[in-house]
Amino acid sequence: MTNPITTLAEAKKTAFELGLIEEEFEKIVSILEGRIPTYTELGIFSVMWSEHCSYKNSITQLKTLPRKGKRLLVEAGEENAGLVDIGDGLAVAFKIESHNHPSAIEPYQGAATGVGGILRDIFTMGARPIAALNSLRFGSLEHERTKFLVRGVVHGIADYGNSFGVPTVAGEVYFDKCYQGNPLVNAMAVGIVKHGETVSASADGVGNIVMIVGSSTGRDGIHGASLLASAVFSEAAEELRPTVQVGDPFTEKLLLEATLEAIEKKLVVGMQDMGAAGISCSTSEMSAKAGTGMKIDLDKVPLREATMSSYEIMLSESQERMLVVVLPKNVEAIKSVFTKWDLKAEVIGTVTDTGSVEISYHGEVVSNLPSKALALGGDMTPVYQREIREPSYLATTQAFVINTVSDVEDANEMLKNLLSSPNIASKKWVYEQYDSMVRTNTLNLEGSDAAVIRVKGTKKGLAVKTDCNSRYVYLNPYRGAMIAVCEAARNVACTGAKPIAITNCLNFGNPYDPEVYYQFTEAIRGMGDACRTLETPVTGGNVSFYNESPDGAIYPTPTIGMLGVIDDIANVVSSGFKNDGDAILLLSAYEPDAEFEGLGGSEYLSIRNDGKAVGNAPNIDPGGEARLIDLLVSLAEKRIIKSAHDISEGGLAVTLAESSFANMIGAKINPSQYSRKDHYLFGEMQGRVVISVSAEMVEEISMMIQSANIKVEVLGMTGGRQIIIEGLIDADLEELHEAYSTAIPNAVEAVVEL
């Protein structure tokens, strides 16, 4: 047991040791009206006022995002996940969150529990998870440490998702030196629920019973939200391994079924997952939302170790647990449901009208704190606006002159190099370890710009995608974040689905660094402007600061999780060419930038420049993107296009190759005028999509495209076993595919079995 704190000086020293700052300690003393805080109370403040739980350095900026929309059933941040109406009496719950630092310390359990946590956020609301996605960022594959992390993270995601029984249907994997000491693991989940059958994370009803259900509470994950997730990594990071949670997907599957059964039987008043900060978070947030309080007896909490202190119980982040509020008359019924599924369900307290969460242990009150002093957005929680300064590197990177790099000499060889680049090469080694077809809802996984999931019982489908090019955000935070939103929307639209809402995972460095905070605020501004234009409101998400290592901060990485709806799954479009002799068309929504010609921040320029990001992010016009999206959805509904694939990393040449790989059907292209070969072939100008159509439909479709104020160019025809771009590229499709498909496994598997 921890020695009791007897003086304010001792309390202050302890507060600093737990990561609180002077200003925050003074605020605590004011809240307690001069009373000396207990050790447990200081522990609770330290986790609840950590960046991970309080968003104290980001909430002001987040409130500027578009958080309402005609399809949104709850405003962003109100519940465990976003909730969006898709018609037919159904809603989609979806959210993305980070588990970066835990995965850097213990990649298998860090990634696995990231999946488990986001799934609980979905089914806690009453929605059954139907899909999982992820966005992964690692350092250079030339390092053995990176290979170890990749293998551990991928296996952790696969084992948890596969065992739980949810298909992992989409994602992205990037490699860059900036992530060498701080990989990113962002996990997203999507669920379906009927209108009127959701549950709120609210402790309503004075006198109602508070229960803990699921697994027992242990010492794993203590201070995961504060010391691990809300601090800069140091070389001593390995010492934080005990703060990483340990997951059990089989218990989570039981918890899912028990939870949904209890909700279906209308036994639940309110419910919240015990994720970050454990019991501290769920008790305070549920109370604050309802304007109530709680009286909790920790002696009733099922423990794995009898010697745990109140501090440890309150801060433990043991997985597969929920806090449930029920009517007194339903306690036995709830116990019966969870006992049926071989899970614990214990009464640990009651809902009160005090507005405070009172915690007792061994007959002693160890904490008594106002819920609104702890919960996100509470009246007494700290909120900061940090100093902003434009990064000094921008002057250098944006002053880069493209003509200082010679034009490409051997375009065939460069295309092969790009296709074998880890950022472009096939990620089949990753996703073939995931069960993508469990529950039989997945329509098309490989060969699509976004995954499409069937909504059973209807004709509808959901298109889902994660996306962010962090190089663009590094070079131009405002423009780069707009691109992340627009490309995710474009990917969804290429399948025939209408983008309707986003969730986000905002991965940045230390917010106390004025240059990092500039990146953050500008990215928020760009994201908000793009979402307003595309009418894709932000339903919620996660902020992950302190993504740094001793070598510096990561590139700013605001990952976008995009949700789209397709009214009839018969209209789904994939990205691969279908037949010999089809026409290949290029759609362009607006003009590219003249200064860098789409080469700024490109994968091509990175290869030519030793992995460094230079130039400016490509030009982006959300209004043009909106027109292009509407056109793609309309063309899909008319069922007159055979494939659609947006141009992104690697430019036009890579897009053509990827479209050819699906069915090993080549292409022959007659290029238009260009200023540089590399600009035409490998420039990553935005707002462009390659489609294929029947040759006899070219004139009719071209007229439809032009009437939508979108430029159209006939590039050439499909056919053969080569990629031919007259005068520039003549490459064998099999050789290109070999380079594309073997790069990742060759790199990752070149490591001793762990």
Side-chain angles (χ1 to χ4, degrees), residues 249-260:
F250 300 105
T251 297
E252 179 120 333
K253 172 62 174 174
L254 298 176
L255 187 59
L256 161 72
E257 299 302 339
T259 298
L260 294 186

Side-chain angles (χ1 to χ4, degrees), residues 521-577:
T521 55
E522 284 296 285
I524 290 286
R525 190 168 68 90
M527 184 188 310
D529 286 352
C531 286
R532 277 182 280 271
T533 301
L534 299 183
E535 296 183 343
T536 53
V538 179
T539 63
N542 173 231
V543 177
S544 177
F545 279 136
Y546 303 101
N547 290 291
E548 298 191 0
S549 68
D551 294 329
I554 63 163
Y555 285 165
T557 311
T559 304
I560 302 299
M562 181 66 70
L563 174 70
V565 175
I566 186 165
D567 290 331
D568 188 341
I569 55 176
N571 301 336
V572 173
V573 178
S574 61
S575 63
F577 296 145

Side-chain angles (χ1 to χ4, degrees), residues 724-750:
I724 299 173
I725 302 177
E726 291 287 355
L728 297 173
I729 288 177
D730 189 341
D732 180 76
L733 199 56
E734 292 284 354
E735 290 183 13
L736 295 177
H737 187 261
E738 176 74 9
Y740 177 74
S741 60
T742 61
I744 297 290
N746 286 348
V748 176
E749 292 177 357

Side-chain angles (χ1 to χ4, degrees), residues 328-343:
K329 67 178 182 180
N330 290 332
V331 169
E332 293 307 314
I334 281 279
K335 285 186 175 182
S336 177
V337 168
F338 282 88
T339 300
K340 167 188 166 183
W341 291 101
D342 200 23
L343 295 170

Side-chain angles (χ1 to χ4, degrees), residues 428-440:
K428 189 172 183 178
W429 181 90
V430 174
Y431 65 71
E432 69 183 357
Q433 298 183 54
Y434 306 148
D435 187 341
S436 62
M437 300 306 295
V438 64
R439 299 188 60 80
T440 67

Side-chain angles (χ1 to χ4, degrees), residues 670-748:
N670 297 306
S672 56
Q673 290 185 334
Y674 51 84
S675 59
R676 291 172 55 119
K677 291 183 292 184
D678 53 8
H679 162 244
Y680 180 78
L681 295 171
F682 310 124
E684 297 174 5
M685 293 78 78
Q686 299 297 295
R688 301 190 302 160
V689 172
V690 169
I691 65 172
S692 64
V693 301
S694 298
E696 61 270 18
M697 294 290 291
V698 169
E699 185 175 348
E700 179 183 342
I701 291 175
S702 295
M703 291 177 63
M704 293 174 57
I705 295 168
Q706 290 168 346
S707 67
N709 195 20
I710 300 295
K711 180 182 176 182
V712 59
E713 177 185 349
V714 179
L715 292 177
M717 304 290 287
T718 61
R721 306 284 288 183
Q722 291 175 294
I723 299 292
I724 299 173
I725 302 177
E726 291 287 355
L728 297 173
I729 288 177
D730 189 341
D732 180 76
L733 199 56
E734 292 284 354
E735 290 183 13
L736 295 177
H737 187 261
E738 176 74 9
Y740 177 74
S741 60
T742 61
I744 297 290
N746 286 348
V748 176

Side-chain angles (χ1 to χ4, degrees), residues 229-382:
S230 300
V232 176
F233 265 14
S234 69
E235 294 180 357
E238 287 291 335
E239 298 174 5
L240 295 172
R241 188 179 296 270
T243 64
V244 178
Q245 309 93 329
V246 178
D248 180 353
F250 300 105
T251 297
E252 179 120 333
K253 172 62 174 174
L254 298 176
L255 187 59
L256 161 72
E257 299 302 339
T259 298
L260 294 186
E261 181 178 333
I263 292 172
E264 183 181 6
K265 291 181 175 179
K266 302 189 183 305
L267 300 176
V268 177
V269 173
M271 179 182 290
Q272 181 160 322
D273 160 45
M274 284 188 196
I279 297 175
S280 297
C281 183
S282 53
T283 54
S284 57
E285 289 190 344
M286 290 184 74
S287 298
K289 182 169 184 180
T292 56
M294 286 186 188
K295 193 170 185 178
I296 302 295
D297 183 357
L298 297 185
D299 291 293
K300 305 289 181 63
V301 175
L303 303 178
R304 295 178 196 162
E305 301 175 62
T307 59
M308 290 180 69
S309 67
S310 59
Y311 171 92
E312 292 172 322
I313 297 170
M314 289 301 292
L315 271 63
S316 169
E317 295 180 10
S318 293
Q319 299 292 283
E320 292 85 39
R321 300 178 302 157
M322 304 282 202
L323 195 72
V324 186
V325 173
V326 301
L327 295 173
K329 67 178 182 180
N330 290 332
V331 169
E332 293 307 314
I334 281 279
K335 285 186 175 182
S336 177
V337 168
F338 282 88
T339 300
K340 167 188 166 183
W341 291 101
D342 200 23
L343 295 170
K344 296 180 177 64
E346 298 293 339
V347 173
I348 64 169
T350 58
V351 177
T352 69
D353 62 359
T354 63
S356 294
V357 178
E358 180 185 308
I359 308 293
S360 61
Y361 193 42
H362 298 336
E364 177 188 354
V365 175
V366 294
S367 176
N368 190 0
L369 301 173
S371 60
K372 290 190 176 181
L374 302 171
L376 175 64
D379 297 341
M380 295 174 272
T381 56

